[in-house]
């Protein structure tokens, strides 16, 4: 069984920074696409950033230049460094993983391309 766990959410003022982490356990993988998504209220989950096993990264336009997706050396921990945070970044952030790289890692990042999900971590940005 694959376990996906996000941590690092919290409350900060606008202009501040947070780093989210996502640990993926329970399986080994070589080809993959991993991504960060966010959801506000009852809206659809939005793809924020992705990284694949070839090292390609993609970002939604609203976070380009502010957010950075990365991994640890073992590739089972995914990070999202978020700088210059804005109130509109407030959301529940989710980590998603496709551990066979089915081909959905190109923008726009869609949640149907992911097979495994964490329960999310809440980010709240105050003005």
């Amino acid at each position: 069984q694959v376990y996906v766990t996000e941590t690092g959410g919290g409350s900060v003022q606008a202009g501040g920074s947070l780093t989210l982490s996502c640990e993926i356990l329970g399986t080994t993988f070589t080809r993959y696409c991993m991504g960060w998504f966010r959801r506000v209220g009852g809206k659809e989950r939005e793809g924020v950033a992705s990284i694949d096993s070839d090292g390609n990264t993609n970002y939604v336009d609203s976070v380009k230049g502010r957010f950075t997706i990365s991994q640890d050396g073992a590739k089972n921990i995914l990070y999202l460094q978020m700088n210059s945070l804005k109130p509109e970044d407030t959301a529940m952030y989710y980590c998603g993983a496709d551990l066979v790289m089915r081909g959905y890692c190109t923008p726009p990042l869609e949640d149907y391309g992911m097979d495994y999900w964490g329960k999310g971590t809440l980010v709240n940005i105050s003005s």
Side-chain angles (χ1 to χ4, degrees):
Q1 186 171 353
V2 178
Y3 298 91
V4 180
T5 306
E6 304 98 334
T7 55
S11 296
V12 298
Q13 289 189 324
S17 298
L18 282 173
T19 300
L20 306 184
S21 299
C22 168
E23 187 172 24
I24 301 171
L25 298 174
T27 188
T28 59
F29 45 89
T30 303
R31 302 289 287 165
Y32 60 83
C33 172
M34 299 177 187
W36 287 98
F37 297 74
R38 62 188 180 188
R39 175 180 281 158
V40 178
K43 296 182 179 180
E44 291 187 358
R45 196 155 38 188
E46 173 191 40
V48 175
S50 67
I51 187 167
D52 68 23
S53 46
D54 294 327
N56 300 305
T57 58
N58 288 290
Y59 300 89
V60 69
D61 287 346
S62 60
V63 307
K64 285 180 180 177
R66 301 188 298 123
F67 290 12
T68 302
I69 190 170
S70 63
Q71 294 174 282
D72 72 325
K75 310 299 185 185
N76 72 318
I77 300 179
L78 185 69
Y79 301 103
L80 186 67
Q81 174 68 45
M82 306 186 294
N83 299 325
S84 302
L85 284 161
K86 304 175 181 181
E88 51 264 43
D89 295 317
T90 294
M92 184 70 83
Y93 283 72
Y94 299 89
C95 172
D98 159 19
L99 301 181
V100 295
M101 199 164 170
R102 295 188 287 118
Y104 294 103
C105 218
T106 53
L109 187 64
E110 300 287 358
D111 60 4
Y112 58 70
M114 301 292 146
D115 299 314
Y116 303 101
W117 293 95
K119 294 182 178 180
T121 186
L122 184 62
V123 172
N124 182 56
I125 312 303
S126 58
S127 58

